[in-house]
Amino acid sequence: MNKFILVIIVTMGINTSILANSYSTDSEDGVLALIQTQQDDPEKINSPLFKEIKTGKIISLSPEEKKRVIELVNNLYEPSYQPVTPMSLVALPSLPSSVSLGMNGVPVLDQRQVGSCGVFAATAALDALYGKGDYISQLCYIEERPLCAEGVACDIRDIIPELKEKGVFSKKYEQQYGCEGWYQYPERGTSSSFPKMPEEEYKQHSEKIFEKLIINSMTYHPGDDVLAEVKQALFNKHRIVTALLLNAELTNEGAAGRYYPKKSTGIVSRLMDLLGDDSSFNTPPPNSWVLTDGMNINTGEWGAHYLVITGYDDNAVINSALRQKGVLTLRNSWGKNAGDNGDFYVSYDYFKAFGREMVEVSFPDLNPGDST
């Protein structure tokens, strides 16, 4: 008898609920079913896979087990349904202990003093999917939405769908034709610095290269369950744009730990490997967010910062007094001289406590095992 986990994922709008239950069966499948629907009303789900479960057409289950699953699904979709607190999926046998996607040749971006981290994180993630390096102009998008220059009214859950629907401008277009009089991303700027590009002009000249983009706005659930969603997405070769709450009053926006994986490049990484995590050597600036004693969301000045999640490692430990195990790798937009050559890290514990919005992006033909 093989043990497996039945996973049902149902996405309603931006609310994602996950329910996992264990069963025993003679099936050799590691995961029996993975069902995802995109319906706003849980009573109007038309997914063929969902219908198969509703009618009991589930392979390799005994009649008694089929009945249990059907009852589970029927109860889940009662009109009085309220989102449940998902159970941990970290133990899914199909997931490796680490995944590293990288950024598919996209260089480290630098948002400079303009508060447009959401635009930079979104375009970096899409560039990594597109596979042509630093292709998308952040400047031209900000000209269409000047308030993004101040980091306000610029939610990642709006930015990515707009780039899909309205299209993008290339860096080549930015340099050749300019965007409302700007030909280069500025060192500093406010919304008043950027004359707004008319929406019709934007649509007329932009490139519709992400029309097939799949967007999954993942609801944040504090706890292990959110890590399970992130890990599964990364295993599927999908990158995630996320918002982390950072404390602006702490050193380096609250990055209090240091982590340098052995594959990192640069002299700092090699010195850390040679001298060890606990060396008294004059260590480099922190590059990792980790929970510290007394850290409290009600203390200090906190703000949300967008980054791209590109990998995870269950066995990694950030160098800090608490030595929290488990690390997510993040591509930042503070330039290549920040963090670990532009990358930063966050402990699982910090992410579970202070992670917020998550948007998963992929193309329909991108499957686990694909080279990106």
Side-chain angles (χ1 to χ4, degrees):
M1 299 285 284
N2 295 319
K3 196 75 170 179
F4 68 87
I5 296 178
L6 168 67
V7 183
I8 301 173
I9 300 182
V10 179
T11 305
M12 297 168 290
I14 63 169
N15 295 317
T16 301
S17 297
I18 297 180
L19 184 62
N21 283 274
S22 295
Y23 296 91
S24 295
T25 180
D26 293 325
S27 169
E28 295 181 358
D29 295 337
V31 177
L32 174 67
L34 177 61
I35 304 168
Q36 181 167 335
T37 63
Q38 299 287 341
Q39 300 289 340
D40 293 329
D41 187 346
E43 296 181 39
K44 296 179 181 178
I45 292 178
N46 297 313
S47 166
L49 285 175
F50 178 78
K51 288 180 179 178
E52 287 188 5
I53 282 193
K54 291 278 285 188
T55 56
K57 296 178 182 178
I58 304 175
I59 60 172
S60 303
L61 286 181
S62 68
E64 293 77 15
E65 288 172 324
K66 287 180 182 179
K67 182 178 178 181
R68 290 175 62 190
V69 175
I70 294 169
E71 289 175 349
L72 181 152
V73 175
N74 284 336
N75 291 336
L76 182 63
Y77 291 100
E78 287 296 322
S80 59
Y81 162 73
Q82 296 294 325
V84 297
T85 300
M87 301 168 64
S88 173
L89 302 183
V90 174
L92 268 174
S94 60
L95 296 181
S97 62
S98 65
V99 167
S100 179
L101 293 184
M103 286 297 291
N104 197 20
V106 179
V108 178
L109 304 177
D110 190 351
Q111 69 184 70
R112 303 171 189 170
Q113 298 299 316
V114 182
S116 50
C117 59
V119 177
F120 274 76
T123 54
L126 296 182
D127 270 341
L129 277 178
Y130 195 50
K132 293 187 178 181
D134 186 12
Y135 188 84
I136 304 172
S137 166
Q138 296 82 28
L139 173 62
C140 292
Y141 180 77
I142 290 176
E143 293 293 356
E144 200 270 337
R145 294 191 68 183
L147 284 177
C148 285
E150 297 180 14
V152 299
C154 210
D155 193 308
I156 195 68
R157 292 169 295 185
D158 297 325
I159 297 171
I160 293 178
E162 278 197 343
L163 291 171
K164 174 183 178 178
E165 176 188 352
K166 296 181 180 179
V168 302
F169 287 83
S170 68
K171 288 286 180 69
K172 183 177 180 180
Y173 181 98
E174 170 191 316
Q175 295 163 6
Q176 184 172 356
Y177 301 104
C179 301
E180 296 303 297
W182 289 80
Y183 290 82
Q184 186 176 4
Y185 192 80
E187 289 289 339
R188 297 178 179 272
T190 65
S191 58
S192 60
S193 304
F194 300 92
K196 180 174 173 58
M197 180 185 296
E199 186 171 342
E200 288 305 314
E201 180 183 344
Y202 186 101
K203 289 183 177 181
Q204 180 181 355
H205 296 287
S206 61
E207 300 178 59
K208 307 293 193 303
I209 59 177
F210 291 103
E211 291 180 314
K212 294 183 179 181
L213 182 70
I214 298 175
I215 303 170
N216 177 26
S217 294
M218 305 161 69
T219 300
Y220 180 80
H221 303 288
D224 287 342
D225 52 283
V226 71
L227 283 173
E229 290 187 72
V230 169
K231 291 178 182 180
Q232 187 66 57
L234 293 170
F235 176 74
N236 292 339
K237 308 296 183 184
H238 304 170
R239 290 169 184 82
I240 299 170
V241 181
T242 188
L244 281 185
L245 293 182
L246 309 181
N247 193 320
E249 296 181 2
L250 299 178
T251 301
N252 209 11
E253 300 293 328
R258 297 177 180 85
Y259 176 66
Y260 291 91
K262 293 185 181 302
K263 65 178 182 179
S264 295
T265 59
I267 189 171
V268 168
S269 302
R270 291 194 290 273
L271 283 173
M272 291 294 284
D273 284 344
L274 289 171
L275 298 172
D277 285 345
D278 298 319
S279 169
S280 58
F281 168 71
N282 184 19
T283 52
N287 64 5
S288 307
W289 289 285
V290 61
L291 284 183
T292 57
D293 291 337
M295 187 174 284
N296 190 315
I297 191 63
N298 297 316
T299 303
E301 181 182 345
W302 292 78
H305 180 57
Y306 287 111
L307 308 101
V308 184
I309 306 178
T310 65
Y312 71 85
D313 189 336
D314 292 338
N315 299 315
V317 179
I318 291 175
N319 176 26
S320 72
L322 301 179
R323 300 188 65 79
Q324 294 156 23
K325 190 175 181 180
V327 173
L328 294 174
T329 301
L330 309 164
R331 170 57 64 89
N332 208 341
S333 56
W334 291 347
K336 62 182 181 181
N337 293 324
D340 180 15
N341 300 302
D343 285 338
F344 278 70
Y345 307 95
V346 61
S347 71
Y348 288 175
D349 287 341
Y350 188 104
F351 184 72
K352 288 186 288 184
F354 297 115
R356 288 301 180 265
E357 302 157 13
M358 296 184 296
V359 178
E360 175 186 359
V361 292
S362 62
F363 283 137
D365 56 349
L366 190 63
N367 299 309
D370 286 350
S371 176
T372 59

